[in-house]
Amino acid sequence: MTPILFIDRDGTLVEEPDDFQLDRLDKLRFIPGVIPALLRLRDAGYQFVMVTNQDGLGTPAFPQADFDGPHELMMQVLQSQGVSFREVLIDTSLPSDNAPTRKPGIGLALHYLKDRSVDWPRSAMVGDRETDNAFARNLGVRAFQLCTPQFGGEWDWPAIAHALADAPRTARVERITRETRIRVEVDLDRVAEPSITTGLGFFDHMLEQIGKHGGFALSLHCDGDLHIDEHHTVEDSALALGQALREALGNKRGIGRYGFTLPMDEALATAALDFSGRPYLAFEGGFQRERIGDMPTELVAHFFRSLCESAGLNLNLQVRGDNDHHKVEACFKVVARALRQAIKREGSELPSTKGLL
């Protein structure tokens, strides 16, 4: 089965001129990142089909000769870099014609619906306008709208390549109670700088350790009732993060499942964890200080207990040392490193003799 990426032209492969007609060679500008992204997708097995509306092409207002030069140069550049198209579909009608071949109509692509070799669940459409999104809906494939000043959108080419080629394990969780409003986003297959805001500086720093040393993209933003105390913010952040991890892992096929010991100056922390689906925390360690920064130390174990409950995680966590700051930070770092090992995906086997995790 072959996945197909249907691709708009102007505003998607190349920048769209202010007058909406790419009719001169000096107007030809490629969208940033498009060629490396297409090469990644080609290597992932995708074939490309261009689908473009060219209003009135072939009329005196838009002569065919004016179109052919820039278009042929664009195709030559793409071909020279290893990017070829299975087919180029061009509709030349005007909007007022209401032609079924004009996007968002799928008249030009109907023959693909009869092709049993097309991998439709993996196929997608990339464009810069709502009409491209509607074309995707009409065809029954996923839509990606590029971010442009004219039409909005939220995607760029590297992100599209990641989403389609890597099949990333992602999740977005919103947890809203009378005490907290939390939004968590994770991508277990992408490395990125963590984005954390909870209103608690030291807690933010600890959550950053989970994303940074866990080796995955983590965004967590919490508005909590800090005028009461820190408990709800810490607890609910752990619950939301655990839920996001559980959802992103899905069926858990291919994961490492287990892992880590980590020193931090005089402190030593050990984390043995298992994404078994059976939540349990065994914590050994203590703290002399009541707080580290603005975070009560009594909430350290409570954070990991809440994380275990919502992630379906079995965690044995031990820490010893003299400096409480080092001990707390070592706890978060060692759990992050254990997570990095456990969520790493290799193959598609389920690491369980039970047949279920």
Side-chain angles (χ1 to χ4, degrees):
M1 303 290 286
T2 302
I4 293 180
L5 188 63
F6 297 91
I7 311 173
D8 178 47
R9 195 188 80 148
D10 301 346
T12 304
L13 289 170
V14 292
E15 295 180 4
E16 187 160 43
D18 293 337
D19 60 4
F20 301 106
Q21 285 192 356
L22 184 53
D23 52 8
R24 297 198 315 266
L25 295 180
D26 62 305
K27 290 183 176 181
L28 184 62
R29 299 285 188 277
F30 283 92
I31 296 292
V34 62
I35 291 178
L38 291 177
L39 291 175
R40 282 199 64 197
L41 291 167
R42 178 204 64 184
D43 293 344
Y46 278 83
Q47 293 184 354
F48 307 130
V49 173
M50 188 186 305
V51 188
T52 176
N53 293 339
Q54 296 294 326
D55 297 4
L57 176 60
T59 67
F62 193 6
Q64 185 73 43
D66 291 349
F67 171 85
D68 289 344
H71 181 78
E72 290 173 4
L73 177 59
M74 177 194 71
M75 298 298 287
Q76 289 172 10
V77 171
L78 291 170
Q79 183 70 42
S80 73
Q81 298 304 304
V83 176
S84 60
F85 284 81
R86 174 169 170 170
E87 194 171 7
V88 176
L89 305 175
I90 301 174
D91 179 77
T92 62
S93 68
L94 296 172
S96 59
D97 296 334
N98 293 317
T101 53
R102 181 182 178 83
K103 290 182 297 182
I106 60 173
L108 288 176
L110 283 176
H111 55 291
Y112 285 101
L113 295 176
K114 302 176 183 179
D115 188 340
R116 295 185 178 181
S117 69
V118 175
D119 186 345
W120 289 107
R122 293 176 62 202
S123 296
M125 170 71 191
V126 181
D128 65 321
R129 306 189 187 203
E130 177 53 36
T131 51
D132 297 310
N133 297 337
F135 175 88
R137 290 192 295 270
N138 292 336
L139 202 57
V141 298
R142 185 176 179 182
F144 293 91
Q145 185 177 357
L146 284 176
C147 179
T148 64
Q150 301 98 319
F151 305 112
E154 59 181 14
W155 291 89
D156 60 20
W157 272 109
I160 292 170
H162 172 61
L164 292 175
D166 299 332
R169 297 164 295 169
T170 63
R172 177 172 181 167
V173 170
E174 292 190 4
R175 178 182 174 87
I176 301 175
T177 70
R178 294 181 178 179
E179 299 157 343
T180 57
R181 297 176 61 89
I182 300 175
R183 184 181 73 255
V184 179
E185 297 181 26
V186 298
D187 183 339
L188 303 186
D189 299 296
R190 180 170 65 89
V191 176
E193 288 299 315
S195 175
I196 311 291
T197 54
T198 66
L200 298 171
F202 184 74
F203 185 46
D204 288 354
H205 184 48
M206 294 301 98
L207 291 176
E208 288 171 355
Q209 307 308 311
I210 292 180
K212 184 70 172 180
H213 295 283
F216 62 92
L218 169 61
S219 171
L220 188 152
H221 302 281
C222 174
D223 293 320
D225 56 356
L226 296 178
H227 60 286
I228 295 177
D229 71 2
E230 305 84 1
H231 184 98
H232 297 141
T233 291
V234 174
E235 178 183 59
D236 289 2
S237 293
L239 291 172
L241 174 57
Q243 181 183 342
L245 290 172
R246 187 182 73 245
E247 292 181 7
L249 284 170
N251 60 20
K252 302 178 184 176
R253 287 191 172 276
I255 66 169
R257 185 176 169 178
Y258 302 102
F260 216 84
T261 297
L262 180 143
M264 184 167 178
D265 295 341
E266 89 299 336
L268 182 68
T270 300
L273 60 78
D274 177 10
F275 274 106
S276 62
R278 300 181 300 276
Y280 191 86
L281 172 69
F283 179 76
E284 293 183 26
F287 308 102
Q288 298 298 314
R289 294 170 59 179
E290 182 179 349
R291 290 173 173 270
I292 307 295
D294 46 15
M295 180 178 176
T297 53
E298 68 176 4
L299 292 180
V300 173
H302 188 68
F303 171 87
F304 290 112
R305 183 171 294 108
S306 299
L307 181 71
C308 290
E309 289 175 0
S310 58
L313 184 65
N314 172 206
L315 172 62
N316 278 258
L317 178 59
Q318 302 174 1
V319 64
R320 67 175 187 266
D322 300 322
N323 184 298
D324 282 347
H325 183 130
H326 292 165
K327 290 162 66 178
V328 174
E329 188 164 346
C331 286
F332 278 83
K333 283 183 175 178
V334 75
V335 170
R337 295 299 300 194
L339 285 173
R340 179 190 286 255
Q341 290 186 182
I343 66 177
K344 185 177 181 181
R345 183 168 55 179
E346 294 181 351
S348 60
E349 293 185 3
L350 187 70
S352 172
T353 57
K354 298 178 183 294
L356 180 69
L357 278 177

